[in-house]
Amino acid sequence: MEQEFAEGIDSWETMMFLYNSALKEVNTKLEILNDEFVHIHNYNPIEYIKSRIKTPESIVKKLKKGGYESTIENMVTYVKDIAGIRIVCSFTSDIYRLAEMIGRQNDLTVISVKDYMKHPKASGYKSYHMIVSVPIFLSNKVVDTKVEIQIRTIAMDFWASLEHKIYYKFEGNAPEYISRDLRECAGIVGQLDAKMLSLNEAILEAKEKQEH
Ligand code: GTP
Ligand code: MG
């Protein structure tokens, strides 16, 4: 598959090395932010983090879909989610808190943001997406490398993984009643997230009162 890239295997491997390094950098940053939050507020905004590198097959597929030739240059320019990190939180409030903390990191550049929580997709999909660029310091140069960060709640993640499986099973042509049920489930996920958030706030408030 890598052979499809005209510039050859050397630069393919260099690119994969850069994307892997970028994932390490961003993962470490997120761990530090989470640890600091635990240290100060005694609270863990991140439940878990998953990261992945896009497979050569899906990089080629995405380039083809966009009408681009499979070259390293096109891949770097047009495929912004080769390195991807998914942060899963308990509450919707954690999502904005984390997004803000990420945005304040001086050595990260936020290239774009898509707020599918405020504006869910037609499928019902909700998440907060950021494309960031992180400098990778090599021995003789610095290379800015893109990483896609998706932030969502456990409930949104549950929905998205089921929807993803169904999408693949039907190759994007799921029967209408299934898409409708999924949209309905997305609504329920929204209600659950809102209820869990207000419940958590009520718990914190009640505890505060007890302690004073
Ligand atoms: P992609 O070409 O799919 O990467 O989309 P894009 O460049 O338009 O970016 P967008 O922010 O819309 O989506 C990026 C990623 O979000 C996807 O690769 C999926 O991981 C996830 N995503 C977006 N829409 C959906 C959806 O409807 N369902 C699920 N399960 N995931 C989605
Ligand atoms: Mg993608």
Side-chain angles (χ1 to χ4, degrees):
M1 182 61 68
E2 291 91 276
Q3 275 79 343
E4 285 205 36
F5 286 89
E7 287 91 332
I9 201 89
D10 255 9
S11 43
W12 167 268
E13 274 170 1
T14 305
M15 288 324 298
M16 288 303 123
F17 166 75
L18 282 171
Y19 286 115
N20 264 305
S21 308
L23 277 187
K24 281 191 198 163
E25 288 280 0
V26 178
N27 262 314
T28 304
K29 278 180 165 299
L30 292 170
E31 263 175 47
I32 292 173
L33 285 174
N34 193 51
D35 291 352
E36 185 211 21
F37 217 81
V38 172
H39 174 62
I40 297 175
H41 304 284
N42 203 12
Y43 173 74
N44 202 341
I46 300 177
E47 283 294 330
Y48 52 91
I49 298 177
K50 291 184 257 184
S51 52
R52 65 103 186 89
I53 295 280
K54 211 176 184 70
T55 61
E57 287 82 2
S58 49
I59 294 173
V60 169
K61 201 169 145 199
K62 197 158 190 175
L63 284 173
K64 277 198 182 130
K65 204 176 136 202
Y68 303 111
E69 238 186 287
S70 291
T71 65
I72 301 281
E73 204 186 343
N74 284 345
M75 149 183 148
V76 172
T77 314
Y78 299 113
V79 189
K80 299 194 175 79
D81 62 344
I82 294 174
I85 293 189
R86 187 169 290 154
I87 310 173
V88 179
C89 313
S90 295
F91 305 107
T92 47
S93 52
D94 295 330
I95 296 175
Y96 289 111
R97 191 174 285 146
L98 276 163
E100 226 173 83
M101 290 182 348
I102 293 167
R104 278 200 301 263
Q105 300 275 302
N106 274 338
D107 51 349
L108 281 187
T109 308
V110 178
I111 295 176
S112 68
V113 166
K114 287 185 196 165
D115 188 347
Y116 296 125
M117 308 222 302
K118 280 210 178 83
H119 309 286
K121 287 203 165 183
S123 60
Y125 177 76
K126 277 185 222 152
S127 269
Y128 191 93
H129 292 188
M130 306 172 91
I131 306 286
V132 301
S133 154
V134 58
I136 303 298
F137 292 84
L138 303 176
S139 56
N140 59 349
K141 61 181 171 188
V142 180
V143 187
D144 288 320
T145 308
K146 287 184 197 115
V147 176
E148 181 190 69
I149 305 178
Q150 301 180 346
I151 320 176
R152 49 171 81 146
T153 62
I154 299 173
M156 290 174 196
D157 194 46
F158 182 29
W159 183 94
S161 24
L162 181 63
E163 195 264 357
H164 184 73
K165 272 181 217 148
I166 293 171
Y167 188 88
Y168 268 84
K169 262 197 189 110
F170 291 99
E171 288 165 343
N173 293 308
E176 174 48 33
Y177 75 95
I178 290 184
S179 309
R180 196 191 54 226
D181 279 0
L182 274 170
R183 279 193 299 275
E184 194 186 321
C185 285
I188 298 170
V189 162
Q191 286 168 11
L192 179 64
D193 273 337
K195 189 108 188 168
M196 291 297 228
L197 177 64
S198 56
L199 182 58
N200 187 53
E201 281 164 356
I203 292 168
L204 294 176
E205 219 172 279
K207 240 186 134 206
E208 182 93 350
K209 270 194 196 136
Q210 242 179 24
E211 280 163 11
H212 292 283

